[in-house]
């Protein structure tokens, strides 16, 4: 059982603060997006930090689990907080997530198409984006516009 599941046993659906870590994986000017099973939206690979992990360990672990890719040489892309970090899921669970987003172009492995949390993975050009996860759209659009890095929001 993971940390979030343990905390949900104690607090039910009340708001829980989380630390999310994700990676913008870039190849030839395209970004890797995953099509999620739960919300039918596309976003970057990543997930919630477990106690004792570093930001990088979380991002690498979650990306490997979700995509089959081992990512190396992470660079800090952005730190995201604020009102956009709040979400309420269909089951009533509420979270407020602070997001640490990395960028990488160095990866290896076989890209998994059907994983526990995702239907498919595909690289997209900025002019071809599918329906983006509204909680991750700001990371992805910041990647498109490439302002000064790292981004602090």
């Amino acid at each position: 059982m993971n940390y979030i599941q343990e905390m949900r046993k104690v607090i039910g659906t009340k708001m829980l603060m989380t630390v999310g870590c994700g990676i913008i994986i870039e190849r030839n000017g395209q970004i890797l997006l995953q099509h999620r099973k739960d919300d039918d939206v596309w976003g970057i690979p990543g997930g919630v930090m477990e106690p004792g992990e570093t930001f990088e360990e979380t991002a690498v672990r979650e990306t490997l689990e979700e995509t089959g890719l081992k990512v190396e040489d992470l660079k800090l892309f952005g730190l995201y907080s604020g009102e956009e970090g709040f979400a309420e899921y269909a089951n009533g669970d509420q979270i407020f997530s602070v997001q640490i987003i990395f960028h990488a172009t160095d990866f290896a492995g076989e890209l998994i198409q059907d994983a526990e949390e995702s239907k498919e993975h595909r690289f997209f050009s900025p002019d071809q984006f599918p329906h983006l996860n509204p909680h991750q759209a700001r990371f992805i659009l910041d990647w498109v516009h490439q302002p000064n890095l790292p981004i602090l929001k």
Side-chain angles (χ1 to χ4, degrees), residues 36-57:
R36 303 241 351 141
K37 287 182 178 177
D38 52 3
D39 290 334
D40 196 31
V41 293
W42 291 78
I44 64 171
V48 178
M49 178 182 275
E50 292 289 333
E53 281 186 314
T54 67
F55 300 130
E56 288 180 320
E57 288 169 344

Side-chain angles (χ1 to χ4, degrees), residues 8 11-15 86-95:
R8 287 290 172 211
I11 66 167
T13 62
K14 292 180 183 172
M15 187 170 47
F86 177 79
E88 183 169 349
Y89 296 104
N91 67 357
D93 286 354
Q94 295 180 354
I95 66 157

Side-chain angles (χ1 to χ4, degrees), residues 76-88:
L76 180 62
F77 180 81
L79 305 173
Y80 293 83
S81 58
E83 292 178 10
E84 295 93 344
F86 177 79
E88 183 169 349

Side-chain angles (χ1 to χ4, degrees), residues 33-35 41-43 122 124-125 127-133:
L33 298 179
Q34 67 176 358
H35 190 185
V41 293
W42 291 78
R122 196 179 334 155
F124 289 92
S125 296
D127 60 348
Q128 302 173 321
F129 286 150
H131 180 61
L132 297 176
N133 179 336

Side-chain angles (χ1 to χ4, degrees), residues 24-32 103-107 122-129 143 146:
I24 292 173
I25 300 173
E26 184 177 347
R27 179 184 73 185
N28 300 324
Q30 296 184 319
I31 187 173
L32 179 67
H103 178 266
T105 57
D106 187 9
F107 57 92
R122 196 179 334 155
F123 283 90
F124 289 92
S125 296
D127 60 348
Q128 302 173 321
F129 286 150
W143 170 77
Q146 293 287 325

